[in-house]
């Protein structure tokens, strides 16, 4: 698997629900802090006993998500793992483990906040997405 | 009697003279125009005149306010003076020909004179004095206005039979010229340049009758206000009609009628003076807004009853005298207060509407009623007096209801802490408001209590001492903080022991909001301030020392003596960050002989120290710190403090900021903040620096520059935004828009975002959106910003109807050259191609479009285009990709290398 260039990273990031309101330029700034990581099969990415500090986007490969030992789904290309990790470090109640050679983009929370502090318009777009999502939830509850 | 402070005397006298001359002139014209009308026509024509005045006056007042908001106050006063003098001379000349219609014109013109010149006089006062000064000094201005009205009336009475009614117009014209000279004197002595102040505070809100009706339906308090206005002005014309009829019968000769009206006005002015200065404050404090509002209804009702029993010049004169004198005093002051508890936005909108249309509509209705009563029902004066009596009874019911609504609304607003007494320019002495505030001060909610205390402190003549004593023992620090603040401002010295106890109990790490106000208060009232300040400066609680430093900021000599070099050297190198922060604050207060100290603190690793150092640099405005502050713009944590500090340097640093903007070696994080500083400096040099940066290639910088320019246009519309250069920028962006559209055309079908071609199409679409926004921002610098913003929203987000309205609006407002290029770009009906033709841009193949994009200077588009070329297999573009990769950053270069690898 070749190294990803910035355009390929942006294409991968366009799949992230949380970032869907961002323009390609803004995504390119996030892409510049997204680090490429490659894991062999059997590597645990999310652990219910450990706090989260990064979001992952699968670029290639597959990751099995289990809850209490039961397989919930197998995540593949452009699926996102730990999307709330950018705002909340609480562990989530699932385990994510690679089932084959897997290439991911990792966005660390600290880098993300540094980026937001210099790019208010990115923060505003993300707030907008969160508010829309929240509004949808409220409407579903009503 | 009047609290005039140093530096205010000349300004106040000139302002009072200005108003005096305006009113002097108006009272001559008012009596002359009425006497001429009554002498020429039957009194039954008066209602028609009022209807005309209402209709024409309303329109002119509205359009004048729209003109005024675009003009500076100095220009507006100069123009209205010139027009007034010119009109008076023309009217004098035309009156010699005895055209009957000229008397209608003259009377309507005089009503406009009162709308424009008198209200303009008070607007000048509002710009010359702030709200605190206004509360102390408006009494003197009111006195000047009343003396002017008295002189006008007296002068008319004694000179009319000597010089003749018509010739008094010359005197009025001369007085308008004198008022202008007084205005020039005021303008030369005022701190706020009147040349830059607007001739109207706000554009008239875009009120629609539907909005006003909705507001009236929703707020019962507003219903009461509107109903009182309508009944008051209907009553005015009804009473005026009776008086005019009897006066005309008593004085058939023109000059004698003019003299009589002059004498009557003089009496009226004297009564108004007595009522305004002695009785209105007393009545408000004794019987409150509701009771005071009922006085006009009761007194006019009694006089109308007398007219019914004994219709005479005396009884109708009494009704007229009580009606006008109580309307200008009790009624006007109470009505100002009645608006007070309404939400600010609603108040502004509805008050403007009611001021412009309410009273005129009511006078027009009154005119119609009088036509019905006199021409159809043939009522005599005594029966018209009965109608006036009925109106007074309705007025009594309405004012009772208004009082109830007022108290309820004040209570609600107080609970929400949304009552602003400081904003209004009269002193609140209303009994019910004061009682409510006193109750709230003792309520269990400390924040509401503190708020109510701050409002009570705004009331002139209110004795706060017993309350302050009681509240100083409160357990709520928020409330105690307000107590010390109010006590300090009112120089009440009896809380020193409580303040010292508060300071003694402060511990390190203390964050109570009452500590600093207690320190400021103690230092302001103790006779041993030097000793106390030097002891508190070493207090273990940093908040106490900070309070001392803030208090010293108001007393620079004292600060210099107290904060020694040794103290500064020790504190600035102290290992504890709290002490270093104090050192930074102290440098802001007294300066520093060694610039290196503050530079070191600006570099401090502790955020709070560095922030305090930024603020200190902003206070000192020393250019030694400029570079360090500019560097801090790149640090998100210090950015806000650095921007404020730089902005406080003022126009002197616009050159440095301009250099930063164009310096491509400077970090982008700093460069893009420069416009944020410039927009806080509303000077021509800021505008020039920003306009120069509009030509920069970086879209990020240009967006920031445009946002700053738009903000400056809002706060400083009088600056020159260089229309010609803006037109060129607009045309450049229009051309760019067409070029991008032509580049996008071959890829519009590529909706797959997970491909490089899809990403390229998406990026081009985003660029188009941003270019459109930029275009409207540029248009907002040349045309009215609010209207351009509305047009942008309609074009960008609106439905079909809004879109068409926006296009039509732009078609009407844009100048021909801009319209020719811009409208095809916005037109969805196939004219877009015409725009392409105008710029000579041809349709492109996908390969040609990508080639152009690879050759562009837009880095991200270059990256997307190279990736798309690889995806689409455009081997012919390999040389362009190689060339672009060589000149690009590492990230974009990597895309180029990957593209070449795929294609070879």
């Amino acid at each position: 698997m070749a190294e990803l260039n910035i355009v390929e990273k942006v294409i991968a990031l366009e799949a992230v629900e949380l970032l869907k309101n961002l323009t390609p330029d803004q995504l390119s700034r996030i892409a510049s802090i997204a680090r490429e990581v490659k894991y062999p099969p059997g590597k645990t990415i999310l652990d219910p006993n450990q706090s989260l500090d990064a979001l992952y986007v699968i670029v290639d490969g597959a990751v099995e998500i289990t809850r209490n030992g039961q397989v919930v789904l197998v995540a593949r290309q452009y699926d996102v793992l730990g999307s709330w990790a950018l705002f909340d470090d609480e562990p989530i109640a699932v385990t994510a483990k690679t089932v084959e050679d897997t290439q991911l983009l990792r966005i660390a929370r600290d880098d993300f906040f540094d980026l937001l502090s210099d790019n208010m318009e990115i923060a505003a777009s993300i707030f907008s997405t969160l508010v829309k999502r929240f509004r949808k939830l409220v409407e579903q509850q009503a | 009697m009047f609290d005039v402070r140093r530096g205010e005397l000349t300004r106040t006298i000139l302002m009072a003279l200005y108003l005096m001359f305006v009113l002097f002139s108006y009272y001559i014209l008012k009596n002359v125009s009425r006497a001429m009308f009554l002498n020429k026509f039957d009194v039954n024509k008066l209602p028609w005149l009022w209807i005309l005045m209402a209709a024409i006056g309303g329109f002119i007042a509205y359009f004048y306010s729209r003109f005024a908001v675009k003009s500076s106050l100095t220009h507006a006063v100069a123009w209205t003076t010139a027009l007034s003098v010119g009109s008076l001379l023309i009217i004098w000349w035309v009156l010699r020909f005895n055209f009957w219609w000229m008397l209608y014109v003259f009377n309507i013109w005089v009503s406009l004179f009162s709308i424009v010149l008198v209200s303009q006089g008070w607007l000048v006062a509002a710009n010359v004095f702030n709200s605190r000064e206004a509360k102390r000094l408006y009494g003197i201005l009111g006195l000047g206005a009343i003396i002017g009205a008295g002189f006008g009336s007296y002068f008319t009475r004694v000179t009319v039979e000597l010089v003749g009614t018509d010739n008094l117009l010359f005197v009025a014209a001369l007085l308008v010229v004198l008022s202008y000279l007084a205005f020039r004197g005021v303008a030369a002595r005022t701190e706020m340049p009147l040349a830059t102040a607007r001739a109207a505070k706000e554009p008239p809100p875009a009120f629609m009758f539907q909005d006003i009706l909705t507001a009236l339906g929703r707020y019962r308090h507003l219903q009461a206000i509107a109903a009182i206005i309508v009944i008051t002005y209907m009553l005015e014309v009804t009473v005026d009609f009776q008086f005019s009829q009897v006066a005309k019968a008593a004085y058939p000769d023109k000059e004698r009628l003019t003299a009589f009206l002059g004498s009557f006005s003089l009496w009226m002015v004297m009564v108004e003076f007595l009522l305004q200065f002695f009785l209105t404050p007393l009545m408000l404090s004794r019987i409150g807004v509701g009771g005071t509002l009922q006085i006009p209804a009761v007194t006019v009702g009694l006089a109308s009853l007398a007219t019914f029993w004994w219709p005479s010049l005396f009884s109708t004169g009494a009704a007229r005298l009580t009606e006008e004198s109580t309307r200008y005093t009790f009624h006007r002051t109470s009505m100002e207060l009645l608006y007070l508890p309404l939400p600010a936005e609603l108040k502004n909108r509805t008050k403007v509407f009611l001021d412009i249309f309410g009273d005129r509509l009511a006078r027009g209705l009154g005119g119609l009623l009088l036509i019905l009563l006199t021409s159809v029902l043939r009522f005599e004066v005594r029966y018209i007096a009965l109608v006036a009596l009925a109106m007074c009874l309705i007025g009594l019911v309405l004012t009772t209801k208004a009082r109830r609504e007022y108290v309820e609304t004040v209570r609600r607003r107080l609970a929400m802490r949304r009552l602003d007494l400081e904003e209004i320019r009269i002193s609140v002495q209303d009994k019910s408001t004061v009682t409510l505030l006193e109750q709230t001060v003792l309520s269990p909610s400390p924040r509401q209590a503190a708020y109510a205390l701050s409002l009570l402190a705004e009331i002139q003549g209110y004795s706060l001492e017993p309350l302050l004593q009681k509240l100083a023992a409160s357990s709520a620090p928020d409330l105690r903080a307000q107590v010390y603040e109010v006590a300090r401002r009112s120089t009440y010295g009896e809380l020193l022991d409580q303040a010292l106890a508060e300071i003694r109990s402060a511990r390190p790490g203390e964050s109570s909001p009452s500590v600093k106000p207690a320190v400021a208060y103690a230092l302001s009232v103790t006779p041993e301030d030097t000793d106390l300040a030097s002891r508190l400066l070493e207090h273990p609680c940093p908040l106490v020392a900070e309070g001392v430093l803030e208090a010293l900021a108001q007393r620079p000599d004292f600060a210099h003596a107290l904060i020694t070099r040794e103290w500064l050297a020790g504190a600035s190198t102290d290992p504890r960050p709290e002490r270093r922060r104090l050192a930074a604050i102290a440098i802001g207060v007294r300066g520093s002989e060694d610039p290196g100290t503050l530079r070191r603190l600006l570099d401090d690793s502790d955020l709070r120290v560095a922030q305090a150092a930024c603020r200190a640099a902003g206070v000192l405005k020393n250019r030694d710190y400029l570079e360090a502050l500019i560097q801090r713009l790149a640090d998100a944590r210090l950015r806000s403090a650095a921007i404020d500090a730089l902005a406080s340097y003022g126009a002197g640093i616009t050159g440095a900021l301009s250099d930063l903007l164009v310096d491509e070696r400077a970090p982008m994080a700093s460069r893009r903040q420069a416009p944020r500083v410039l927009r806080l400096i509303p000077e021509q040099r800021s505008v020039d620096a920003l306009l120069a940066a509009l030509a920069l290639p970086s879209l990020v910088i240009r967006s920031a520059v445009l946002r700053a320019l738009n903000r400056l246009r809002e706060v400083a519309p009088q600056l020159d935004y260089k229309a010609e250069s803006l037109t060129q920028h607009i045309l450049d962006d229009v051309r760019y828009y067409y070029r991008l559209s032509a580049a996008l055309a071959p890829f519009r079908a590529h909706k797959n975002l997970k491909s490089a071609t899809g990403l390229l199409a998406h990026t081009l679409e985003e660029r188009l959106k941003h270019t459109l926004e930029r275009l409207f921002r540029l248009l907002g610098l040349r045309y009215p910003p609010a209207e351009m913003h509305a047009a942008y929203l309609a074009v960008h987000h609106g439905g079909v109807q809004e879109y068409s309205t926006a296009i039509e609006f732009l078609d009407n407002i844009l100048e021909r050259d801009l319209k020719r290029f811009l409208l095809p770009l916005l037109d969805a009906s196939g004219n877009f191609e015409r725009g392409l033709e105008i710029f000579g841009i041809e349709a492109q193949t996908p390969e040609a479009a990508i080639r152009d994009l690879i050759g562009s200077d837009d880095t991200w588009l270059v990256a997307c285009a190279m990736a798309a070329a690889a995806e689409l297999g455009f081997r012919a573009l390999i040389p362009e990709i190689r060339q672009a990769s060589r000149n690009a950053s590492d990230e974009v270069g990597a895309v180029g290398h990957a593209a070449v690898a795929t294609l070879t």
Side-chain angles (χ1 to χ4, degrees), chain A residues 5-6 10-11 14 23-25 32 78 117-119 121, chain B residues 636 639 672 753-754 759 762-763 766-767 860 891 898:
Chain A
N5 65 44
I6 193 157
V10 169
I11 290 171
E14 284 200 313
T23 65
D25 284 275
S32 66
Y78 301 138
S117 67
D118 276 333
N119 295 275
E121 67 283 3
Chain B
R639 185 172 295 147
R672 60 192 294 202
L753 289 181
K754 295 194 173 97
L759 184 64
H762 187 192
T763 302
E766 287 296 331
R767 287 281 188 280
W860 177 243
E891 276 181 332

mmCIF file of all heavy atoms in Angstrom, chain A residues 5-6 10-11 14 23-25 32 78 117-119 121, chain B residues 636 639 672 753-754 759 762-763 766-767 860 891 898:
data_model
loop_
_atom_site.group_PDB
_atom_site.id
_atom_site.type_symbol
_atom_site.label_atom_id
_atom_site.label_comp_id
_atom_site.label_asym_id
_atom_site.label_seq_id
_atom_site.Cartn_x
_atom_site.Cartn_y
_atom_site.Cartn_z
ATOM 1 N N ASN A 5 -1.332 10.535 -0.629
ATOM 2 C CA ASN A 5 -1.062 11.975 -0.767
ATOM 3 C C ASN A 5 -2.269 12.756 -0.254
ATOM 4 O O ASN A 5 -3.310 12.174 0.114
ATOM 5 C CB ASN A 5 -0.691 12.336 -2.199
ATOM 6 C CG ASN A 5 -1.830 12.122 -3.171
ATOM 7 O OD1 ASN A 5 -2.959 12.479 -2.881
ATOM 8 N ND2 ASN A 5 -1.529 11.493 -4.312
ATOM 9 N N ILE A 6 -2.134 14.081 -0.257
ATOM 10 C CA ILE A 6 -3.159 14.896 0.420
ATOM 11 C C ILE A 6 -4.532 14.800 -0.254
ATOM 12 O O ILE A 6 -5.572 14.817 0.410
ATOM 13 C CB ILE A 6 -2.681 16.365 0.549
ATOM 14 C CG1 ILE A 6 -3.592 17.102 1.534
ATOM 15 C CG2 ILE A 6 -2.656 17.075 -0.798
ATOM 16 C CD1 ILE A 6 -2.968 18.291 2.163
ATOM 17 N N VAL A 10 -7.995 13.616 1.528
ATOM 18 C CA VAL A 10 -9.237 14.407 1.507
ATOM 19 C C VAL A 10 -10.396 13.548 1.019
ATOM 20 O O VAL A 10 -11.499 13.597 1.589
ATOM 21 C CB VAL A 10 -9.068 15.658 0.616
ATOM 22 C CG1 VAL A 10 -10.411 16.333 0.362
ATOM 23 C CG2 VAL A 10 -8.126 16.642 1.281
ATOM 24 N N ILE A 11 -10.139 12.728 0.006
ATOM 25 C CA ILE A 11 -11.213 11.856 -0.492
ATOM 26 C C ILE A 11 -11.686 10.929 0.642
ATOM 27 O O ILE A 11 -12.877 10.713 0.820
ATOM 28 C CB ILE A 11 -10.722 11.046 -1.720
ATOM 29 C CG1 ILE A 11 -10.541 12.014 -2.904
ATOM 30 C CG2 ILE A 11 -11.693 9.937 -2.081
ATOM 31 C CD1 ILE A 11 -9.853 11.394 -4.113
ATOM 32 N N GLU A 14 -13.758 12.892 3.237
ATOM 33 C CA GLU A 14 -15.094 13.318 2.809
ATOM 34 C C GLU A 14 -16.156 12.334 3.264
ATOM 35 O O GLU A 14 -17.343 12.666 3.290
ATOM 36 C CB GLU A 14 -15.142 13.492 1.289
ATOM 37 C CG GLU A 14 -14.450 14.772 0.844
ATOM 38 C CD GLU A 14 -14.879 15.232 -0.534
ATOM 39 O OE1 GLU A 14 -14.908 14.366 -1.423
ATOM 40 O OE2 GLU A 14 -15.156 16.426 -0.698
ATOM 41 N N THR A 23 -15.588 22.343 3.316
ATOM 42 C CA THR A 23 -15.222 22.457 1.901
ATOM 43 C C THR A 23 -13.946 21.639 1.673
ATOM 44 O O THR A 23 -13.224 21.325 2.640
ATOM 45 C CB THR A 23 -14.925 23.923 1.533
ATOM 46 O OG1 THR A 23 -13.769 24.327 2.262
ATOM 47 C CG2 THR A 23 -16.085 24.834 1.870
ATOM 48 N N PRO A 24 -13.652 21.306 0.420
ATOM 49 C CA PRO A 24 -12.413 20.556 0.161
ATOM 50 C C PRO A 24 -11.169 21.276 0.697
ATOM 51 O O PRO A 24 -10.247 20.625 1.195
ATOM 52 C CB PRO A 24 -12.371 20.456 -1.361
ATOM 53 C CG PRO A 24 -13.802 20.509 -1.770
ATOM 54 C CD PRO A 24 -14.465 21.436 -0.802
ATOM 55 N N ASP A 25 -11.152 22.606 0.646
ATOM 56 C CA ASP A 25 -9.991 23.335 1.198
ATOM 57 C C ASP A 25 -9.836 23.085 2.690
ATOM 58 O O ASP A 25 -8.733 22.859 3.191
ATOM 59 C CB ASP A 25 -10.182 24.844 1.028
ATOM 60 C CG ASP A 25 -9.933 25.275 -0.367
ATOM 61 O OD1 ASP A 25 -8.789 25.504 -0.704
ATOM 62 O OD2 ASP A 25 -10.926 25.341 -1.113
ATOM 63 N N SER A 32 -3.915 17.546 6.410
ATOM 64 C CA SER A 32 -2.501 17.785 6.711
ATOM 65 C C SER A 32 -2.135 17.373 8.146
ATOM 66 O O SER A 32 -0.970 17.195 8.457
ATOM 67 C CB SER A 32 -2.139 19.250 6.458
ATOM 68 O OG SER A 32 -2.835 20.061 7.372
ATOM 69 N N TYR A 78 -13.407 3.695 4.076
ATOM 70 C CA TYR A 78 -14.061 4.981 4.355
ATOM 71 C C TYR A 78 -15.028 4.940 5.533
ATOM 72 O O TYR A 78 -15.691 5.931 5.816
ATOM 73 C CB TYR A 78 -14.777 5.555 3.110
ATOM 74 C CG TYR A 78 -13.856 5.794 1.946
ATOM 75 C CD1 TYR A 78 -14.232 5.476 0.658
ATOM 76 C CD2 TYR A 78 -12.595 6.334 2.150
ATOM 77 C CE1 TYR A 78 -13.377 5.677 -0.418
ATOM 78 C CE2 TYR A 78 -11.718 6.540 1.088
ATOM 79 C CZ TYR A 78 -12.115 6.211 -0.192
ATOM 80 O OH TYR A 78 -11.259 6.417 -1.234
ATOM 81 N N SER A 117 -8.328 26.011 16.513
ATOM 82 C CA SER A 117 -8.055 27.326 17.107
ATOM 83 C C SER A 117 -7.559 28.328 16.065
ATOM 84 O O SER A 117 -7.722 29.523 16.233
ATOM 85 C CB SER A 117 -7.041 27.200 18.257
ATOM 86 O OG SER A 117 -5.798 26.825 17.732
ATOM 87 N N ASP A 118 -6.986 27.805 14.989
ATOM 88 C CA ASP A 118 -6.534 28.713 13.929
ATOM 89 C C ASP A 118 -7.522 28.827 12.788
ATOM 90 O O ASP A 118 -7.331 29.630 11.878
ATOM 91 C CB ASP A 118 -5.188 28.225 13.358
ATOM 92 C CG ASP A 118 -4.026 28.712 14.201
ATOM 93 O OD1 ASP A 118 -4.179 29.766 14.833
ATOM 94 O OD2 ASP A 118 -2.997 28.015 14.234
ATOM 95 N N ASN A 119 -8.531 27.980 12.798
ATOM 96 C CA ASN A 119 -9.473 27.956 11.668
ATOM 97 C C ASN A 119 -10.903 27.955 12.195
ATOM 98 O O ASN A 119 -11.572 26.931 12.240
ATOM 99 C CB ASN A 119 -9.241 26.713 10.806
ATOM 100 C CG ASN A 119 -7.883 26.744 10.139
ATOM 101 O OD1 ASN A 119 -7.710 27.318 9.084
ATOM 102 N ND2 ASN A 119 -6.887 26.146 10.800
ATOM 103 N N GLU A 121 -13.560 28.927 10.965
ATOM 104 C CA GLU A 121 -14.634 28.543 10.050
ATOM 105 C C GLU A 121 -14.818 27.023 10.034
ATOM 106 O O GLU A 121 -15.925 26.539 9.822
ATOM 107 C CB GLU A 121 -14.395 29.111 8.640
ATOM 108 C CG GLU A 121 -13.224 28.571 7.848
ATOM 109 C CD GLU A 121 -11.864 29.125 8.293
ATOM 110 O OE1 GLU A 121 -11.810 29.897 9.263
ATOM 111 O OE2 GLU A 121 -10.856 28.750 7.689
ATOM 112 N N ALA B 636 -3.007 31.125 18.994
ATOM 113 C CA ALA B 636 -4.460 31.202 19.193
ATOM 114 C C ALA B 636 -4.821 31.606 20.621
ATOM 115 O O ALA B 636 -5.813 32.285 20.846
ATOM 116 C CB ALA B 636 -5.093 29.867 18.845
ATOM 117 N N ARG B 639 -4.133 35.396 20.894
ATOM 118 C CA ARG B 639 -4.545 36.206 19.741
ATOM 119 C C ARG B 639 -5.492 37.332 20.134
ATOM 120 O O ARG B 639 -5.325 38.485 19.726
ATOM 121 C CB ARG B 639 -5.205 35.279 18.722
ATOM 122 C CG ARG B 639 -5.564 35.944 17.444
ATOM 123 C CD ARG B 639 -6.022 34.929 16.442
ATOM 124 N NE ARG B 639 -4.954 34.020 16.078
ATOM 125 C CZ ARG B 639 -5.129 32.745 15.758
ATOM 126 N NH1 ARG B 639 -6.346 32.230 15.765
ATOM 127 N NH2 ARG B 639 -4.116 31.991 15.418
ATOM 128 N N ARG B 672 -3.365 36.523 8.428
ATOM 129 C CA ARG B 672 -4.820 36.556 8.298
ATOM 130 C C ARG B 672 -5.494 37.245 9.478
ATOM 131 O O ARG B 672 -6.701 37.505 9.440
ATOM 132 C CB ARG B 672 -5.388 35.145 8.088
ATOM 133 C CG ARG B 672 -5.077 34.192 9.205
ATOM 134 C CD ARG B 672 -5.401 32.785 8.832
ATOM 135 N NE ARG B 672 -6.830 32.618 8.643
ATOM 136 C CZ ARG B 672 -7.438 31.442 8.720
ATOM 137 N NH1 ARG B 672 -6.734 30.353 8.918
ATOM 138 N NH2 ARG B 672 -8.726 31.347 8.567
ATOM 139 N N LEU B 753 -17.901 11.693 -5.118
ATOM 140 C CA LEU B 753 -16.944 12.411 -4.274
ATOM 141 C C LEU B 753 -15.740 11.558 -3.918
ATOM 142 O O LEU B 753 -14.738 12.061 -3.442
ATOM 143 C CB LEU B 753 -17.632 12.888 -3.003
ATOM 144 C CG LEU B 753 -18.631 14.026 -3.188
ATOM 145 C CD1 LEU B 753 -19.225 14.417 -1.860
ATOM 146 C CD2 LEU B 753 -17.963 15.232 -3.827
ATOM 147 N N LYS B 754 -15.857 10.236 -4.111
ATOM 148 C CA LYS B 754 -14.728 9.381 -3.724
ATOM 149 C C LYS B 754 -13.747 9.225 -4.885
ATOM 150 O O LYS B 754 -12.987 8.268 -4.948
ATOM 151 C CB LYS B 754 -15.248 8.033 -3.246
ATOM 152 C CG LYS B 754 -16.063 8.172 -1.964
ATOM 153 C CD LYS B 754 -16.312 6.857 -1.282
ATOM 154 C CE LYS B 754 -16.961 7.070 0.063
ATOM 155 N NZ LYS B 754 -18.394 6.931 0.063
ATOM 156 N N LEU B 759 -13.781 15.259 -6.597
ATOM 157 C CA LEU B 759 -13.253 16.239 -5.638
ATOM 158 C C LEU B 759 -12.925 17.557 -6.349
ATOM 159 O O LEU B 759 -13.189 18.648 -5.817
ATOM 160 C CB LEU B 759 -11.991 15.670 -4.978
ATOM 161 C CG LEU B 759 -11.372 16.532 -3.885
ATOM 162 C CD1 LEU B 759 -12.314 16.686 -2.706
ATOM 163 C CD2 LEU B 759 -10.051 15.929 -3.415
ATOM 164 N N HIS B 762 -16.169 19.290 -6.961
ATOM 165 C CA HIS B 762 -16.662 19.839 -5.674
ATOM 166 C C HIS B 762 -15.886 21.105 -5.300
ATOM 167 O O HIS B 762 -16.457 22.111 -4.886
ATOM 168 C CB HIS B 762 -16.501 18.751 -4.610
ATOM 169 C CG HIS B 762 -17.123 19.117 -3.301
ATOM 170 N ND1 HIS B 762 -16.882 18.407 -2.161
ATOM 171 C CD2 HIS B 762 -17.951 20.110 -2.950
ATOM 172 C CE1 HIS B 762 -17.548 18.947 -1.157
ATOM 173 N NE2 HIS B 762 -18.211 19.986 -1.611
ATOM 174 N N THR B 763 -14.582 21.060 -5.467
ATOM 175 C CA THR B 763 -13.755 22.225 -5.131
ATOM 176 C C THR B 763 -14.118 23.420 -6.006
ATOM 177 O O THR B 763 -14.250 24.547 -5.525
ATOM 178 C CB THR B 763 -12.259 21.890 -5.318
ATOM 179 O OG1 THR B 763 -11.945 20.774 -4.489
ATOM 180 C CG2 THR B 763 -11.362 23.054 -4.943
ATOM 181 N N GLU B 766 -17.313 24.923 -4.807
ATOM 182 C CA GLU B 766 -17.091 25.725 -3.588
ATOM 183 C C GLU B 766 -16.450 27.070 -3.928
ATOM 184 O O GLU B 766 -16.789 28.099 -3.360
ATOM 185 C CB GLU B 766 -16.194 24.965 -2.600
ATOM 186 C CG GLU B 766 -16.869 23.803 -1.908
ATOM 187 C CD GLU B 766 -18.011 24.242 -1.016
ATOM 188 O OE1 GLU B 766 -17.967 25.375 -0.503
ATOM 189 O OE2 GLU B 766 -18.966 23.455 -0.847
ATOM 190 N N ARG B 767 -15.498 27.017 -4.867
ATOM 191 C CA ARG B 767 -14.843 28.269 -5.270
ATOM 192 C C ARG B 767 -15.872 29.243 -5.855
ATOM 193 O O ARG B 767 -15.824 30.437 -5.608
ATOM 194 C CB ARG B 767 -13.787 27.987 -6.350
ATOM 195 C CG ARG B 767 -12.537 27.315 -5.852
ATOM 196 C CD ARG B 767 -11.625 28.350 -5.179
ATOM 197 N NE ARG B 767 -10.347 27.755 -4.864
ATOM 198 C CZ ARG B 767 -10.096 26.991 -3.811
ATOM 199 N NH1 ARG B 767 -11.055 26.760 -2.931
ATOM 200 N NH2 ARG B 767 -8.904 26.468 -3.611
ATOM 201 N N TRP B 860 -4.513 24.451 -4.016
ATOM 202 C CA TRP B 860 -5.368 23.281 -3.810
ATOM 203 C C TRP B 860 -6.004 22.824 -5.126
ATOM 204 O O TRP B 860 -6.100 21.627 -5.390
ATOM 205 C CB TRP B 860 -6.444 23.603 -2.752
ATOM 206 C CG TRP B 860 -7.404 22.470 -2.549
ATOM 207 C CD1 TRP B 860 -8.739 22.480 -2.785
ATOM 208 C CD2 TRP B 860 -7.091 21.143 -2.117
ATOM 209 N NE1 TRP B 860 -9.287 21.263 -2.526
ATOM 210 C CE2 TRP B 860 -8.294 20.410 -2.108
ATOM 211 C CE3 TRP B 860 -5.912 20.488 -1.759
ATOM 212 C CZ2 TRP B 860 -8.356 19.082 -1.748
ATOM 213 C CZ3 TRP B 860 -5.974 19.151 -1.392
ATOM 214 C CH2 TRP B 860 -7.181 18.468 -1.377
ATOM 215 N N GLU B 891 3.507 18.802 0.033
ATOM 216 C CA GLU B 891 2.241 18.060 -0.011
ATOM 217 C C GLU B 891 1.688 18.005 -1.436
ATOM 218 O O GLU B 891 1.276 16.950 -1.910
ATOM 219 C CB GLU B 891 1.212 18.733 0.898
ATOM 220 C CG GLU B 891 1.339 18.297 2.354
ATOM 221 C CD GLU B 891 0.305 18.941 3.249
ATOM 222 O OE1 GLU B 891 -0.132 20.061 2.912
ATOM 223 O OE2 GLU B 891 -0.050 18.337 4.257
ATOM 224 N N ALA B 898 2.781 11.339 -7.576
ATOM 225 C CA ALA B 898 1.897 10.171 -7.658
ATOM 226 C C ALA B 898 1.171 10.156 -9.006
ATOM 227 O O ALA B 898 0.993 9.090 -9.625
ATOM 228 C CB ALA B 898 0.882 10.198 -6.511
#
